[in-house]
């Protein structure tokens, strides 16, 4: 069966350090992968997209990598700040399919 | 710029009651989606629409109906609410322009409790 796995344990990290989250998938051949941020009581907000033929994407303090051989994406927040505390969701999209499949999300807590 | 607006924000129903959740978007997006989010389950797709007048089933469609009579609105109906439908419901929309990898824009959810 198809699975998208994100760590269910919250990541507690000291302010200023780099937070790294993992998204693993099985039985998917995604055309691209998206990362979203979700704050308590709010809807998810799009952050970054990376295509199957891209290895790395950056946006300000965010970096995403995509390894289709390992079937894994890594999401990095460099120089983390307390305002980065949230839940981060990965989502996969396949061509011919008009939908995203979401992981369950991974919570990040940045400690001042 | 309102984006995606969901009404109501909160609702409590009794088992067997019916209700409609409204989603409105002002971005002229073709695609619209209804998800439910439960603890430990992540976002699961209920129904979606690829344009005005079209609807399709998602991952967990049973017990729900939808309609897309106008491009900007996507309605989710519960005909006979059950406690298992207690959840947070999110609506999302995305553009079809350019390429298929457009991001989805989400509303802030409707928190529904069924007693």
């Amino acid at each position: 069966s198809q699975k998208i796995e994100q760590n269910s344990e919250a990541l507690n990290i000291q302010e200023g350090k780099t937070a790294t989250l993992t998204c693993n998938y099985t039985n998917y051949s995604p055309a691209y992968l998206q990362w979203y941020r979700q704050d308590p009581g709010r809807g998810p907000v799009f952050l970054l997209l990376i295509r199957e033929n891209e290895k790395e994407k950056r946006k300000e303090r965010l970096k995403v990598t995509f390894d289709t051989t390992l079937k894994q994406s890594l999401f990095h927040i460099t120089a983390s700040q307390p305002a980065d505390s949230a839940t981060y969701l990965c989502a996969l999209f396949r061509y011919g399919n008009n939908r995203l499949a979401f992981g369950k999300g991974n919570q990040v807590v940045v400690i001042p | 710029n309102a984006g995606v607006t969901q009404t109501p924000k909160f609702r409590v129903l009794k088992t067997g009651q019916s209700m409609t959740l409204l989603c409105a978007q002002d971005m002229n997006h073709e695609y619209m989606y209804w998800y439910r989010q439960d603890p430990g389950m992540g976002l699961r797709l209920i129904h979606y629409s690829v344009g005005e007048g079209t609807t399709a089933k998602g991952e967990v469609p049973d017990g729900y109906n939808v309609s897309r009579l106008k491009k900007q609105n996507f309605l989710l109906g519960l005909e006979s609410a059950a406690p298992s439908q207690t959840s947070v419901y999110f609506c999302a929309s995305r553009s079809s322009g350019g390429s298929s990898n457009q991001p989805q824009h989400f509303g802030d959810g409707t928190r529904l409790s069924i007693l």
Side-chain angles (χ1 to χ4, degrees), chain A residues 2 28 32 92-101, chain B residues 31 33 45 48 94 100:
Chain A
Q2 297 173 325
Y28 272 102
Y32 61 83
L92 277 60
F93 184 96
R94 294 176 296 169
Y95 286 121
N97 185 323
N98 291 312
R99 333 171 210 178
L100 286 175
Chain B
Y31 294 85
Y33 305 85
L45 182 65
Y48 65 102
R94 75 166 175 91
S100 59

Side-chain angles (χ1 to χ4, degrees), chain A:
Chain A
S1 63
Q2 297 173 325
K3 285 185 181 178
I4 303 169
E5 294 179 328
Q6 294 186 258
N7 197 337
S8 58
E9 280 190 32
L11 175 65
N12 295 308
I13 192 162
Q14 208 68 36
E15 182 176 4
K17 300 291 186 183
T18 297
T20 298
L21 306 180
T22 304
C23 177
N24 294 306
Y25 58 92
T26 55
N27 296 322
Y28 272 102
S29 295
Y32 61 83
L33 191 146
Q34 297 181 349
W35 282 89
Y36 288 77
R37 169 185 172 138
Q38 187 173 21
D39 292 288
R42 305 299 299 274
V45 175
F46 171 77
L47 295 174
L48 277 169
L49 176 150
I50 187 164
R51 295 178 179 81
E52 59 182 337
N53 59 352
E54 296 176 322
K55 295 295 183 187
E56 181 179 299
K57 208 72 170 288
R58 290 175 185 262
K59 178 183 176 182
E60 297 172 353
R61 292 183 297 107
L62 307 179
K63 185 178 86 170
V64 172
T65 63
F66 195 10
D67 189 326
T68 54
T69 301
L70 291 178
K71 297 187 183 297
Q72 181 180 82
S73 175
L74 298 179
F75 178 82
H76 306 272
I77 308 172
T78 59
S80 58
Q81 304 168 0
D84 295 326
S85 298
T87 296
Y88 293 86
L89 311 173
C90 69
L92 277 60
F93 184 96
R94 294 176 296 169
Y95 286 121
N97 185 323
N98 291 312
R99 333 171 210 178
L100 286 175
F102 283 86
K104 295 177 183 178
N106 195 179
Q107 186 183 10
V108 171
V109 178
V110 181
I111 303 162

